[in-house]
Amino acid sequence: MSPALMEKTKTLKGQLIQMQLIGAIIVLFVCSCAFIVNDYFILQKSLKRNIETSARILGKNLLPTLAFADKEEARKILASLSAEPDIDAAYLFDETGKLFAHYGSPLPASFSLPENSDRLSRYAGGEIQLFHQLTENKETIGLLILKGRPGALRKEFKAYALIVSVVVLAGLFLSFILATYLQYQFSGPMAALVQIAKRISNSSDYSLRIGKVSKQEQIEEIKVLSQEFNRMIEKIQDRDRQINSANQDLEHQVEIRTQELKEAQKIALQNAHAAGMSEISTGILHNIGNIVNSANVSIEEMIKITQQSKLKGLRKINSLLEEEKNSLGQFLTTDPKGKLIPEYLQQVTETLTEEQRSIREEIDNLVKKVVLIKDVVGTQQVYARGDIMREEIDLASLIREVLEMQRISLGRHSIKVISDFHPIPHVSAQKIKLSHILLNLFKNAKESMDHASPSERKLKISTRHLPDVHQVHLSIEDTGEGITQENLKKVFQHGFTTKKHGHGFGLHFCANAMTEMNGELQVSSNGVQKGAKFTLIFNLNAQEEKAAS
Amino acid sequence: MISLPNLSHTDTNKSARLFLKKFIGALLLATSLMASGQVIKPKVQTAFIYQFTRYIEWPNKKNLNEFKIALIGSSALQPFLEELSSQKSVNGKSISISSVEPDEDLSPFHIVIIGDSKFLEKVVQRTEGLEILTIASGEGAAAKGVIIGFFLEKEKMRFEINRSAAEKQNLSISSQLLKLARIIE
């Protein structure tokens, strides 16, 4: 069956006609079969009755022929069966069981009488055989066997088959006409309904309605269906109007809300900017604070130097020399005190020279820190411009510089610095930012080891080049209080701190700064009191990798 | 040859059945022998005579205690008829066989068999209106007033019936029997 035809049979019209035709065929076929079977049995019965009647009449006429052994007359009588279309053959046996006369086909050699003596007729080989005893004065003097001709039945069946065919065809034709009429009555309005539904679906034109057709409206259910459909469409149309109106309102509301959101976004952006600025400011202040702390250490050192200066002794010597200015030569050569003065002056000179050198160093440090502060402020300006200055940095040198800045502080905390620098390529980074990161990490390491015994305070700094992954790793490992497993996840969060006076900004800044420099900051710890290890990971670009190789 | 089954449920007399079988067998044998040129006329005639009693009705006034057969001038049929009378009956009545003279009173008899043709006319004359079936041998006997006359046709024994004679004797002959006979009006 072609797809088009299949599609056609799926329509209501096709289905109705198909079902009605199938129903008609089934009913006609069943009825015809029932009639044929009934007629078959009636015909069979009739045939048997006819043969029985013939047998009775023949038997009566054949009795004298047996009585007077008149075979010729017997044959004549049997020949009269030619007028009986139902009887095919007849056989007359005498009292001794010998064939006396016959009509029609000769007795077959295989012929035998039925074993069941009660049976007076039988069906064999598609024919009926009837056994009729010829009796006289209650004495059996012969037997007449008649064979019915099934051809008569077959002829009847042929006629029946023809009648059934004609009836079925006529029935189908009438059924088709009836089905067509019914589909016009029932599926016609349904098809119109479907058409309207399709048009509404395609065009969303809810003003469409099913028109009134007088014949269709004769069927109450279809009339109700059409009315209800129209009512439903009206409701949909109303709702559509309401939805459109609501949509328009909604669009207006959305527009207003969008405007409000834009305003809010603007404010939020401003707030965020302010917050960003605040964060940046916090960072700068934090870093400047670190530098200032370091500067304080230098100043304290200078104050200490100046407080412990030998200048007082020098003043005493000056006073003593002032007192003995008239006899200075004698005093220096003869007086026991005066004899010590030249040597003392020599010692004071050396001490002051040393103090001067130390102060000079601290002043240099202070200058460096002031430069660093200037750089920090400069970084702020870079941020403000959105420009990020990156340069090729020799990590080992930078580490040494930062360590130098922390030297006094680390020394004061009795922290032993272990350097394990392997050859590494230069990395691309912002020097100031990286300095702050190192400063922060050294400071944290230093503070974490406050509670450790001085002999165990160790700060190990190592560098590694991992060419396979194109990375440079800088590790800063301490033997301090360590980090719990839970806190490991939070250490880089803004505001997280375990220090009494901490702000929770330092590590947050470090992590962000590393990310900004296309790097990464990782932390690991074996647990509380087992130290911590911070690793700065620098991803090398192709040029850096090439330079390294 | 096939053996006939007992298809009916009638209670038959075994000896009678045996006789009938023998009789019909004899009849068939006789006709076949006649066909071959040998004549055993008396026995066949006896069998035919007995069969006639089945297809001919005598009036009620002939309702005697026994069925009487008279034999005139013929001694050849006597033994066969006596054998018949000893074994068979007609309508439940025993058969009696008597050899009589033509001049005797024939009115008690149902059948008078004329064995000698010379007594034909006399017997016909004497039995007229006496409800007696007259039987004689030889073609032309019926034409002479005898009701049934035996004759040979194509070496087969047949019989002729004089219907008017039968009517005169007030005897009713079955149409089935008439169908087998040559009718003399």
Side-chain angles (χ1 to χ4, degrees):
Chain A
M1 194 181 281
S2 70
L5 194 58
M6 281 179 76
E7 190 65 32
K8 198 173 180 182
T9 56
K10 281 179 184 173
T11 62
L12 187 62
K13 176 185 171 183
Q15 290 288 317
L16 274 173
I17 293 177
Q18 197 178 22
M19 285 172 72
Q20 282 169 352
L21 288 180
I22 289 169
I25 289 170
I26 291 168
V27 169
L28 286 170
F29 185 75
V30 169
C31 288
S32 300
C33 285
F35 279 120
I36 288 170
V37 169
N38 184 49
D39 278 8
Y40 173 79
F41 285 112
I42 288 171
L43 273 171
Q44 209 175 48
K45 223 175 200 176
S46 170
L47 175 65
K48 189 183 169 189
R49 202 162 45 239
N50 284 347
I51 294 174
E52 281 173 351
T53 306
S54 299
R56 273 198 302 276
I57 294 166
L58 278 176
K60 207 169 182 182
N61 292 328
L62 286 168
L63 271 174
T65 64
L66 281 173
F68 295 100
D70 195 337
K71 288 184 178 181
E72 195 180 331
E73 185 61 23
R75 275 195 290 272
K76 275 184 192 173
I77 292 168
L78 288 176
S80 68
L81 287 171
S82 61
E84 294 289 338
D86 293 340
I87 298 170
D88 187 36
Y91 306 99
L92 178 65
F93 294 90
D94 62 20
E95 172 71 11
T96 61
K98 195 176 174 185
L99 183 66
F100 187 74
H102 80 276
Y103 161 75
S105 56
L107 188 68
S110 59
F111 182 83
S112 63
L113 287 167
E115 288 176 8
N116 184 358
S117 61
D118 291 336
R119 197 168 171 189
L120 299 176
S121 64
R122 72 179 176 187
Y123 293 93
E127 63 184 16
I128 184 170
Q129 295 176 354
L130 188 123
F131 304 88
H132 181 70
Q133 286 181 343
L134 303 179
T135 56
E136 200 166 60
N137 292 336
K138 298 179 182 178
E139 290 172 3
T140 302
I141 63 166
L143 176 68
L144 176 64
I145 300 172
L146 295 181
K147 277 168 50 175
R149 196 161 31 192
L153 267 180
R154 275 204 292 272
K155 200 185 279 179
E156 292 287 344
F157 267 106
K158 277 181 187 172
Y160 274 128
L162 187 67
I163 290 165
V164 166
S165 302
V166 171
V167 167
V168 168
L169 284 174
L172 280 177
F173 178 69
L174 289 173
S175 294
F176 181 76
I177 291 169
L178 187 64
T180 308
Y181 174 72
L182 287 175
Q183 81 79 23
Y184 172 74
Q185 286 286 312
F186 293 100
S187 71
M190 296 301 289
L193 192 71
V194 170
Q195 279 296 323
I196 292 289
K198 272 185 181 175
R199 282 175 61 191
I200 290 170
S201 173
N202 290 333
S203 64
S204 299
D205 181 4
Y206 297 109
S207 63
L208 292 170
R209 296 287 183 276
I210 296 171
K212 290 183 179 178
V213 181
S214 58
K215 276 192 177 178
Q216 291 170 5
E217 288 199 339
Q218 287 170 4
I219 299 163
E220 183 61 24
E221 286 82 356
I222 290 171
K223 184 181 171 184
V224 171
L225 183 65
S226 300
Q227 286 171 350
E228 290 304 317
F229 181 81
N230 284 341
R231 204 168 294 164
M232 186 180 74
I233 296 298
E234 270 171 28
K235 282 183 181 173
I236 291 172
Q237 195 176 17
D238 283 347
R239 292 215 180 138
D240 192 49
R241 276 196 216 104
Q242 287 171 8
I243 288 167
N244 281 335
S245 172
N247 272 343
Q248 284 172 1
D249 284 350
L250 194 63
E251 278 173 17
H252 183 64
Q253 291 289 333
V254 166
E255 206 173 309
I256 292 168
R257 193 64 65 194
T258 306
Q259 194 58 38
E260 285 174 1
L261 283 171
K262 277 179 181 172
E263 292 294 325
Q265 191 185 18
K266 198 176 171 184
I267 293 164
L269 274 171
Q270 286 170 352
N271 290 340
H273 185 66
M277 291 300 286
S278 169
E279 187 177 346
I280 290 163
S281 304
T282 308
I284 289 162
L285 291 173
H286 180 86
N287 292 331
I288 290 172
N290 282 341
I291 298 163
V292 169
N293 279 342
S294 186
N296 275 338
V297 171
S298 294
I299 292 163
E300 280 173 11
E301 190 64 24
M302 283 191 287
I303 291 167
K304 192 178 163 188
I305 290 167
T306 51
Q307 282 174 347
Q308 293 172 354
S309 179
K310 296 287 183 182
L311 275 174
K312 288 175 185 174
L314 197 57
R315 280 192 202 102
K316 279 181 183 176
I317 294 293
N318 280 339
S319 302
L320 198 62
L321 288 173
E322 188 63 37
E323 286 172 8
E324 299 293 333
K325 64 182 178 183
N326 296 326
S327 56
L328 194 60
Q330 191 182 355
F331 176 72
L332 287 173
T333 54
T334 58
D335 190 86
K337 284 184 182 176
K339 284 181 183 175
L340 293 172
I341 286 172
E343 193 182 349
Y344 179 74
L345 284 174
Q346 181 66 33
Q347 284 176 0
V348 167
T349 304
E350 285 174 6
T351 303
L352 286 176
T353 306
E354 182 61 27
E355 280 177 4
Q356 188 186 21
R357 192 189 57 81
S358 295
I359 288 167
R360 181 72 202 169
E361 274 181 10
E362 291 306 324
I363 288 167
D364 286 346
N365 274 338
L366 274 173
V367 169
K368 279 182 186 173
K369 280 157 193 169
V370 169
V371 169
L372 202 55
I373 288 166
K374 186 186 164 195
D375 287 344
V376 169
V377 175
T379 307
Q380 162 63 18
Q381 287 166 344
V382 169
Y383 272 124
R385 290 202 308 273
D387 189 13
I388 299 167
M389 297 290 286
R390 294 180 73 167
E391 55 188 299
E392 293 299 311
I393 294 168
D394 178 5
L395 271 182
S397 299
L398 186 67
I399 292 164
R400 283 189 195 100
E401 277 178 29
V402 178
L403 275 175
E404 183 56 32
M405 283 192 273
Q406 293 285 307
R407 183 180 51 79
I408 296 169
S409 177
L410 291 170
R412 202 166 54 194
H413 284 83
S414 306
I415 292 167
K416 186 180 178 185
V417 177
I418 303 164
S419 297
D420 180 20
F421 297 160
H422 283 74
I424 53 167
H426 287 190
V427 296
S428 174
Q430 297 171 64
K431 192 174 179 181
I432 304 302
K433 205 172 270 185
L434 196 52
S435 301
H436 286 310
I437 292 167
L438 292 173
L439 210 57
N440 264 298
L441 293 176
F442 292 158
K443 183 170 164 279
N444 285 346
K446 182 184 70 185
E447 288 171 358
S448 76
M449 291 186 283
D450 279 351
H451 299 291
S453 67
S455 61
E456 290 176 355
R457 294 175 188 173
K458 288 171 187 168
L459 178 66
K460 185 180 177 183
I461 305 162
S462 58
T463 57
R464 293 282 185 283
H465 177 210
L466 284 75
D468 294 343
V469 290
H470 312 294
Q471 286 178 343
V472 165
H473 287 196
L474 162 58
S475 300
I476 299 160
E477 193 173 355
D478 62 59
T479 54
E481 60 192 12
I483 306 166
T484 62
Q485 201 65 29
E486 191 185 345
N487 286 347
L488 277 174
K489 298 170 189 169
K490 300 189 270 186
V491 290
F492 298 125
Q493 287 177 9
H494 184 245
F496 177 79
T497 183
T498 55
K499 297 174 191 171
K500 273 185 182 175
H501 304 291
H503 299 99
F505 179 79
L507 286 176
H508 174 67
F509 161 79
C510 294
N512 283 349
M514 281 306 292
T515 306
E516 281 170 16
M517 292 186 288
N518 193 32
E520 194 182 343
L521 176 59
Q522 288 183 349
V523 62
S524 62
S525 172
N526 291 327
V528 178
Q529 303 304 330
K530 290 186 176 174
K533 182 179 178 182
F534 287 85
T535 306
L536 282 73
I537 299 169
F538 299 90
N539 289 304
L540 299 174
N541 56 39
Q543 204 175 352
E544 290 165 341
E545 194 68 62
K546 195 177 175 184
S549 63
Chain B
M1 185 184 288
I2 59 172
S3 59
L4 291 183
N6 180 18
L7 297 174
S8 74
H9 299 284
T10 54
D11 186 18
T12 53
N13 185 302
K14 280 188 179 177
S15 60
R17 282 172 60 83
L18 189 65
F19 171 78
L20 194 66
K21 279 185 182 177
K22 282 182 180 175
F23 170 76
I24 291 173
L27 191 63
L28 293 168
L29 182 64
T31 51
S32 62
L33 284 174
M34 279 193 298
S36 63
Q38 296 179 49
V39 179
I40 47 163
K41 203 174 172 182
K43 195 170 183 178
V44 178
Q45 279 183 341
T46 303
F48 271 48
I49 288 164
Y50 176 69
Q51 289 298 330
F52 289 151
T53 63
R54 296 178 176 228
Y55 297 96
I56 295 172
E57 283 184 15
W58 278 262
N60 286 337
K61 59 182 178 182
K62 208 70 182 180
N63 193 11
L64 301 172
N65 290 330
E66 56 182 3
F67 191 85
K68 292 187 172 183
I69 299 173
L71 185 62
I72 298 173
S74 175
S75 58
L77 283 173
Q78 181 105 22
F80 298 103
L81 287 170
E82 280 173 358
E83 189 184 352
L84 174 73
S85 68
S86 65
Q87 294 178 358
K88 301 294 286 182
S89 62
V90 176
N91 293 328
K93 294 171 186 174
S94 58
I95 300 167
S96 69
I97 308 296
S98 307
S99 287
V100 294
E101 293 301 320
D103 297 327
E104 284 184 34
D105 180 17
L106 299 175
S107 60
F109 296 100
H110 292 87
I111 297 172
V112 172
I113 300 165
I114 306 163
D116 195 338
S117 58
K118 64 182 180 186
F119 300 123
L120 272 177
E121 288 177 4
K122 192 173 186 177
V123 173
V124 167
Q125 200 175 14
R126 292 209 59 223
T127 57
E128 198 173 326
L130 288 180
E131 301 165 355
I132 294 169
L133 172 66
T134 53
I135 299 172
S137 296
E139 199 168 1
K144 290 174 182 171
V146 175
I147 296 172
I148 295 175
F150 292 106
F151 67 95
L152 285 171
E153 187 182 74
K154 294 177 184 175
E155 299 181 341
K156 185 187 170 190
M157 195 179 81
R158 291 198 62 196
F159 55 91
E160 53 187 9
I161 294 175
N162 188 329
R163 248 165 99 173
S164 58
E167 283 171 7
K168 280 179 187 171
Q169 302 295 75
N170 206 20
L171 296 176
S172 173
I173 301 173
S174 160
S175 61
Q176 291 171 316
L177 184 63
L178 289 173
K179 211 182 266 183
L180 300 176
R182 187 162 75 189
I183 306 299
I184 304 294
E185 293 293 343

